[in-house]
Amino acid sequence: MRNTKNRYFILFVAVFSYSWTQAANYLPNSYNGVAITPHTVYGLMPPIDTQLESKINIWLQNNSSLVDQLLNIGNPTAWQHKWQGDSDLLKQYGYKNLSHDGYVASIPETDYLFKISGPKHQVLSMLATKGLVDEKLLQDNQYLNEQVAKRLQGQTLPTYQTASRAAYYLLLKSLLEKNRYQHLRVPETFLLFVPGHDKNVSDGNVILVQKMVDNLHEQGILNISNGAIKELYEVIVLAGLWNVKDNLLVSKSGDMFITNGLHVIGFEEYPNMSSKHFFHKNKKIFDQNRIRGIKGLMDLFASDSSKIALIKELIENDNRLSDCDKSELLKD
């Protein structure tokens, strides 16, 4: 019989509706000592098995019209119509889009998903490149459309939303390797160039491929061990994981998964700001993200007084949190 006490978390990264923010003071933007940038991320990613790569490339070539349509942002002002039309096109090809704002579907005859950034967060990233970062953009599509028309005027700018999910995967992988957590894992994840496209990792040229996770359900969350909670708390604090509540799932076998990304909940997580960097270095935003993450963790276990007591103890003894942050987290 399976020992359900030794459950594993998987940080299921990279649906790339948005990019994670990161404060350099907490976690270096590097993997094995190499800065993670659009110029280095492909070389830092783990190599894919040649047979799997061949199978995926054949699928990409056989479905080139569909894939090219998903990769082409087109006119930024038409982002809403594009996403709906593309989702309908996926359905016509026999694929179910698992994302609410990007493109996520299974690759036939494999145990993997393909993931491609959606148009909404590409135009949000373009606006950020133009200097406009406003939470109202995420909440009000009419306002977003007005700003896209006003500031972009039909112009497209390079974005790196898809590759940014690979970049954050590398940060998490580095974090897990360094700390040797017992309950946390990351799934196999690969960044692939699409045949016939340019060899740079801007959106329009790459897809992200990730191992599928099956048989997920939410009921087992409340039964995770204290050791797993401690490790999850550490990842929230170190990596700024902010939306735990909506993305933490448990498989029927007892394994734990963080599926950050099938749909976007908050504005803080995107964007990459230029072709040189994937990550923000805004300490204020990073601090806000991890406070939200800890609050989400507490909300998740609100009905379990012993787990709440454990989380509060972790907060009280955490020298990385300011007194102000602790007061906000510990207030009734």
Side-chain angles (χ1 to χ4, degrees):
M1 188 173 192
R2 180 183 175 86
N3 182 356
T4 57
K5 291 183 179 180
N6 295 321
R7 293 188 170 94
Y8 295 96
F9 287 84
I10 289 187
L11 303 180
F12 193 15
V13 182
V15 181
F16 22 81
S17 300
Y18 45 85
S19 300
W20 290 76
T21 58
Q22 183 59 54
N25 290 341
Y26 295 101
L27 189 66
N29 297 336
S30 63
Y31 181 73
N32 286 340
V34 179
I36 306 170
T37 72
H39 297 291
T40 64
V41 64
Y42 180 80
L44 291 172
M45 289 293 288
I48 189 171
D49 175 80
T50 54
Q51 290 186 340
L52 176 61
E53 183 178 24
S54 176
K55 184 177 290 189
I56 293 174
N57 280 336
I58 290 172
W59 174 80
L60 288 169
Q61 291 166 350
N62 290 341
N63 294 272
S64 59
S65 295
L66 170 64
V67 175
D68 288 347
Q69 173 62 28
L70 300 181
L71 291 172
N72 182 15
I73 182 65
N75 189 330
T77 59
W79 67 266
Q80 282 179 292
H81 298 294
K82 172 178 169 52
W83 183 84
Q84 187 57 60
D86 289 349
S87 294
D88 292 341
L89 184 62
L90 276 167
K91 189 174 182 180
Q92 292 174 23
Y93 274 76
Y95 299 102
K96 180 181 179 180
N97 189 5
L98 302 177
S99 175
H100 292 184
D101 49 31
Y103 311 112
V104 180
S106 60
I107 301 173
E109 301 181 7
T110 75
D111 295 326
Y112 293 82
L113 299 167
F114 74 84
K115 301 182 176 185
I116 298 172
S117 170
K120 180 173 184 177
H121 292 278
Q122 289 185 45
V123 298
L124 285 167
S125 189
M126 292 179 197
L127 290 176
T129 301
K130 289 285 190 178
L132 180 62
V133 177
D134 183 347
E135 186 153 351
K136 186 179 177 182
L137 292 169
L138 203 70
Q139 301 168 343
D140 187 338
N141 283 340
Q142 180 177 344
Y143 176 64
L144 173 58
N145 290 334
E146 291 171 355
Q147 295 304 313
V148 167
K150 176 182 177 181
R151 295 174 183 261
L152 297 180
Q153 299 179 347
Q155 177 188 14
T156 60
L157 302 172
T159 58
Y160 300 85
Q161 291 290 312
T162 296
S164 71
R165 312 313 300 151
Y168 202 80
Y169 161 82
L170 289 170
L171 283 183
L172 288 172
K173 191 169 184 289
S174 177
L175 178 62
L176 300 186
E177 290 171 352
K178 178 180 179 181
N179 292 283
R180 299 183 179 180
Y181 294 134
Q182 298 299 308
H183 304 276
L184 305 177
R185 299 291 186 271
V186 287
E188 287 185 345
T189 304
F190 307 103
L191 185 65
L192 299 183
F193 289 114
V194 175
H197 288 244
D198 292 341
K199 297 292 186 180
N200 72 70
V201 298
S202 61
D203 295 322
N205 297 318
V206 294
I207 66 169
L208 198 115
V209 173
Q210 191 167 71
K211 186 83 170 182
M212 284 192 290
V213 178
D214 296 322
N215 301 319
L216 299 180
H217 70 90
E218 299 181 6
Q219 299 304 316
I221 292 175
L222 297 180
N223 296 322
I224 68 174
S225 68
N226 285 353
I229 290 177
K230 290 178 181 179
E231 291 185 4
L232 182 56
Y233 174 89
E234 279 297 300
V235 171
I236 290 171
V237 171
L238 291 173
L241 292 179
W242 72 284
N243 187 17
V244 175
K245 183 178 180 181
D246 291 321
N247 292 296
L248 182 63
L249 301 173
V250 184
S251 71
K252 291 180 179 179
S253 63
D255 296 333
M256 298 292 298
F257 301 87
I258 294 180
T259 59
N260 67 49
L262 287 183
H263 48 87
V264 68
I265 305 298
F267 184 82
E268 301 83 357
E269 303 304 340
Y270 95 99
N272 57 278
M273 301 298 285
S274 74
S275 61
K276 296 181 180 180
H277 306 290
F278 280 122
F279 309 102
H280 284 300
K281 296 182 175 65
N282 187 317
K283 182 178 183 298
K284 180 179 179 181
I285 292 178
F286 181 88
D287 288 345
Q288 290 172 346
N289 281 349
R290 64 181 185 178
I291 293 304
R292 291 186 183 189
I294 296 171
K295 285 182 176 180
L297 188 64
M298 297 176 75
D299 289 343
L300 196 61
F301 297 104
S303 62
D304 190 325
S305 59
S306 64
K307 286 184 169 59
I308 291 295
L310 171 63
I311 297 169
K312 287 185 175 181
E313 181 182 355
L314 293 172
I315 294 169
E316 290 172 348
N317 295 327
D318 195 340
N319 294 328
R320 296 162 298 188
L321 301 178
S322 69
D323 291 340
C324 181
D325 289 340
K326 290 182 180 181
S327 296
E328 181 179 351
L329 289 167
L330 295 173
K331 66 183 179 182
D332 295 329

